[in-house]
Amino acid sequence: MRLRKQELGDRNLVGARVEAARKKKGMKQKELLAQLQVNGVDMNASGLSKLEGQIRYVTDMELVALADILEVSVDFLLGRAAH
């Protein structure tokens, strides 16, 4: 497992929670990317890494797809509710 080289950014609120929820499900980034593709969200590995590192903005469509795939609420990803 590679460790993040950069510090967390400030471009989104959801990145750290996406990463935590993904790891809790035992899902690799590659698997999450495949599920995003199935759900109509075109994202590459670099984009997901930047999203999780909070150095990339997240669209509303991505947010909804991530919540559905990770089986958490949008409010949880936004830090407004506990899982």
Side-chain angles (χ1 to χ4, degrees), residues 18-27 29 32 52 70:
V18 167
E19 182 177 18
R22 175 180 60 77
K23 288 180 176 179
K24 185 175 181 181
K25 289 182 68 73
M27 185 181 280
Q29 280 187 335
L32 179 53
E52 288 185 350
L70 297 170

Side-chain angles (χ1 to χ4, degrees), residues 4-70:
R4 185 175 317 285
K5 293 178 184 173
Q6 289 183 298
E7 290 185 30
L8 289 177
D10 61 359
R11 299 228 170 133
N12 72 53
L13 299 171
V14 305
R17 287 185 175 237
V18 167
E19 182 177 18
R22 175 180 60 77
K23 288 180 176 179
K24 185 175 181 181
K25 289 182 68 73
M27 185 181 280
K28 296 186 182 301
Q29 280 187 335
K30 191 179 274 190
E31 295 168 312
L32 179 53
L33 285 168
Q35 287 297 312
L36 286 167
Q37 292 280 332
V38 169
N39 283 274
V41 175
D42 188 27
M43 188 182 300
N44 61 26
S46 175
L48 179 56
S49 181
K50 288 176 181 178
L51 183 153
E52 288 185 350
Q54 296 174 246
I55 54 177
R56 170 189 180 279
Y57 294 109
V58 180
T59 69
D60 54 355
M61 293 173 70
E62 292 169 344
L63 183 62
V64 170
L66 287 163
D68 288 347
I69 294 164
L70 297 170

